[in-house]
Amino acid sequence: MMSPSRQEEAIATLREQGFVVMRGFARPHEVQALRAQAERHLRERIEPIEYEADVRYPGAPASRRAEGGHTARRLLDAYGRGPLFARWATDARVGAWLAACFGEAPVLSTVHHNCVMTKHPAYGSLTGWHQDVRYWSFTEPSLVSCWLALGSERRENGGLSFIPGSHAAAFEARQFDEQKFFLDDLPENAPWIARAVCPELEAGDVVFFHCRTLHAAQGNASGQVKLSLVHTYHPQSCRPVPGTRSASRPGVPLEPAP
Ligand SMILES: O=C(O)CCC(=O)C(=O)O
């Protein structure tokens, strides 16, 4: 159980910089079990899977038929992959933390993230600077994602970098390209990008980050596949907009802690 002062401090950090790292948030045996299951689902190619070739970010194969074309990027629908994954997605500690942060009950989105994010040494692509909310449709931009490291994460193996304070900035549309990536060759974006930090994570560490926080990741230059489990939550009063992809599947309200 986290002390109230540690919780308040972490929430203040999330509000101020748009992300916060919580060390050892998941227990070692949970992480080990989640990792083993993720590895099995990858090995057995259990669908639904999004392939690098589908996304075609820099470094990805050109098509599923090209060399490396069956490199997975995301094991989709983590919540639906069995009780172990479902338990983590609705974990009481995650729920309690988010309830304190939102000031109301959190709801798991089953549409956004909700995946095991993989990054393979060969054919794993890099991801440019972006805000996750760019393609999401909710009544308020107040969603928070929970990124659980299932192994070490560093810049060199494709660990996430974040730009502190970017969640609260009033960027203009012209600072982004047509896919809504934050332009890295625009002089006025340079001071923002220069502030980026790449927190080093160990298995069991969690990063909570706001849906407007700019983040990016490089390819994986290590010899090992990087695996992370990512879920997104919204406060109950922040609703997916009817008729949009965000509303295409029901969310899962997190039970209040006993
Ligand atoms: O692992 C990566 O390359 C970045 C993942 C990410 O930020 C995303 O898919 O939204």
Side-chain angles (χ1 to χ4, degrees):
M1 180 82 180
M2 194 181 310
S3 74
S5 62
R6 190 173 161 226
Q7 177 164 299
E8 264 170 45
E9 201 180 306
I11 291 171
T13 304
L14 173 65
R15 293 216 173 104
E16 194 182 305
Q17 64 174 19
F19 66 94
V20 62
V21 178
M22 310 287 289
R23 301 282 171 204
F25 199 90
R27 299 178 189 99
H29 69 271
E30 288 172 319
V31 180
Q32 219 171 36
L34 287 164
R35 185 173 177 105
Q37 190 128 323
E39 284 172 343
R40 184 174 70 76
H41 283 221
L42 259 183
R43 217 173 29 247
E44 296 176 9
R45 297 240 186 109
I46 298 179
E47 296 285 350
I49 297 177
E50 176 188 71
Y51 292 93
E52 288 285 6
D54 305 335
V55 183
R56 297 178 70 177
Y57 286 164
S63 78
R64 285 202 195 180
R65 284 185 308 280
E67 194 182 307
H70 281 95
T71 306
R73 179 176 172 87
R74 292 186 172 104
L75 295 174
L76 298 169
D77 190 21
Y79 176 73
R81 284 178 179 264
L84 188 68
F85 282 123
R87 256 200 314 276
W88 172 253
T90 55
D91 182 88
R93 284 157 302 161
V94 174
W97 199 88
L98 288 168
C101 175
F102 292 152
E104 56 177 296
V107 179
L108 167 75
S109 165
T110 52
V111 181
H112 301 304
H113 281 320
N114 186 22
C115 69
V116 176
M117 195 78 78
T118 84
K119 185 148 302 194
H120 288 67
Y123 311 111
S125 61
L126 63 84
T127 309
W129 293 107
H130 66 284
Q131 298 172 310
D132 282 342
V133 78
R134 62 189 170 160
Y135 300 139
W136 300 353
S137 310
F138 286 80
T139 51
E140 298 287 334
S142 53
L143 295 84
V144 169
S145 294
C146 175
W147 179 284
L148 169 65
L150 298 179
S152 285
E153 304 207 12
R154 302 283 185 273
R155 192 189 301 277
E156 298 70 37
N157 72 345
L160 283 188
S161 293
F162 298 92
I163 301 186
S166 53
H167 66 305
F171 294 120
E172 292 181 29
R174 61 183 179 73
Q175 291 178 265
F176 296 82
D177 70 13
E178 64 285 353
Q179 287 181 282
K180 301 199 181 171
F181 284 108
F182 194 61
L183 291 163
D184 53 15
D185 55 357
L186 194 70
E188 70 189 275
N189 288 357
W192 281 102
I193 293 170
R195 289 161 62 175
V197 292
C198 180
E200 298 195 340
L201 305 178
E202 299 304 337
D205 292 348
V206 147
V207 187
F208 286 104
F209 61 102
H210 190 272
C211 62
R212 298 189 76 248
T213 304
L214 282 167
H215 57 288
Q218 300 187 349
N220 183 350
S222 80
Q224 256 213 332
V225 178
K226 182 173 78 62
L227 298 174
S228 329
L229 195 42
V230 196
H231 294 286
T232 297
Y233 304 84
H234 57 91
Q236 206 162 36
S237 65
C238 158
R239 317 284 309 166
V241 176
T244 66
R245 180 165 170 256
S246 298
S248 61
R249 283 161 64 184
V252 181
L254 266 56
E255 298 296 328

